[in-house]
Amino acid sequence: MNTSFNKLVAAAALAALLLPAIASAQSSAATSTALTATERVAQTVTAQATHVQKAADLMAALSLKLSLRLASSTASSTDIAEANTALADLNAQIADARLQATAAFGHVASATAADSTKANTNAELKIARADIVVARQDFAAARKDINKILQVLGVAR
Amino acid sequence: MVQKTPGLDPGVFVYTESISSTVSLCNLMTKWIIGVAVVVVVALGAWWYFAQAPAAKEAATPASTAPDTSDQALVQDSAAIDAQLQALDAQQ
């Protein structure tokens, strides 16, 4: 009887110790889940914008090489003119993609600002995603320009 | 500086005066030597500083090299761009 009572007291004490900790963990988990939804989107857009910047840097380096090759190319003047047009468009697409990435970074910063309201956060993230979409379109056009120039230069891929 | 002590032989005065003059001369020479040494050290430091500055500036400016525009380099660059764009697409 006495032993059972001791076990009961021990169990009650253990429960008193553990229950607040469990409740606290559940509460913080719920909070972090709510935060993660917004933060996850912000992190994704930031990662995408970083990829956009890297891709733009790579394309800019390739653009320089393509311009050097075109300058010494022996292709027909018509082809060279087409390639130069494609090169100009390529540089424009790269520049716009960089602008979109910078804008996306800015909108993510506004969305994650401490004083940002929920509505503002959602709106800013939506705009940031739209910036990334435009950057993708820029790159799609830029890729076609690169292929066109490589074709004129006779570079097999 | 001559210090006359009453009751001492006059020769001692001369001796004392001689020592005093020698000490003054040594002090003066020491000051000159230290002064010249400071000037030399400062001059050498300035010379070393201005000798190093152009070399450091040259080292900070990387030598511009012509990019590799071979077919292989262009294909590799295109592949790197494709990989980057695929990474961008993977970040949905």
Side-chain angles (χ1 to χ4, degrees), chain A:
Chain A
M1 175 72 182
N2 197 12
T3 309
S4 299
F5 180 73
N6 285 342
K7 284 181 180 174
L8 190 64
V9 169
L14 191 63
L17 282 172
L18 289 179
L19 281 177
I22 293 169
S24 173
Q26 284 178 340
S27 172
S28 66
T31 306
S32 71
T33 305
L35 284 176
T36 304
T38 302
E39 284 182 347
R40 202 183 325 121
V41 175
Q43 285 176 355
T44 303
V45 175
T46 302
Q48 288 173 330
T50 304
H51 282 301
V52 168
Q53 284 187 328
K54 287 180 180 175
D57 289 343
L58 291 171
M59 283 191 179
L62 178 59
S63 172
L64 174 65
K65 294 179 181 181
L66 292 174
S67 67
L68 291 172
R69 279 289 298 267
L70 282 174
S72 60
S73 174
T74 56
S76 71
S77 58
T78 309
D79 287 345
I80 294 293
E82 282 184 12
N84 279 325
T85 303
L87 184 65
D89 187 65
L90 169 63
N91 290 331
Q93 302 294 351
I94 293 168
D96 189 64
R98 279 188 168 136
L99 281 178
Q100 300 301 329
T102 304
F105 279 127
H107 288 302
V108 169
S110 297
T112 55
D115 59 345
S116 178
T117 62
K118 189 176 180 181
N120 181 63
T121 297
N122 290 337
E124 292 289 341
L125 289 178
K126 193 174 179 182
I127 297 170
R129 280 179 144 169
D131 291 336
I132 298 299
V133 170
V134 174
R136 284 179 199 274
Q137 292 167 351
D138 289 338
F139 284 145
R143 200 70 193 83
K144 287 179 182 174
D145 291 332
I146 291 170
N147 287 339
K148 174 69 182 171
I149 299 167
L150 288 176
Q151 188 182 351
V152 169
L153 292 173
V155 177
R157 297 190 62 225

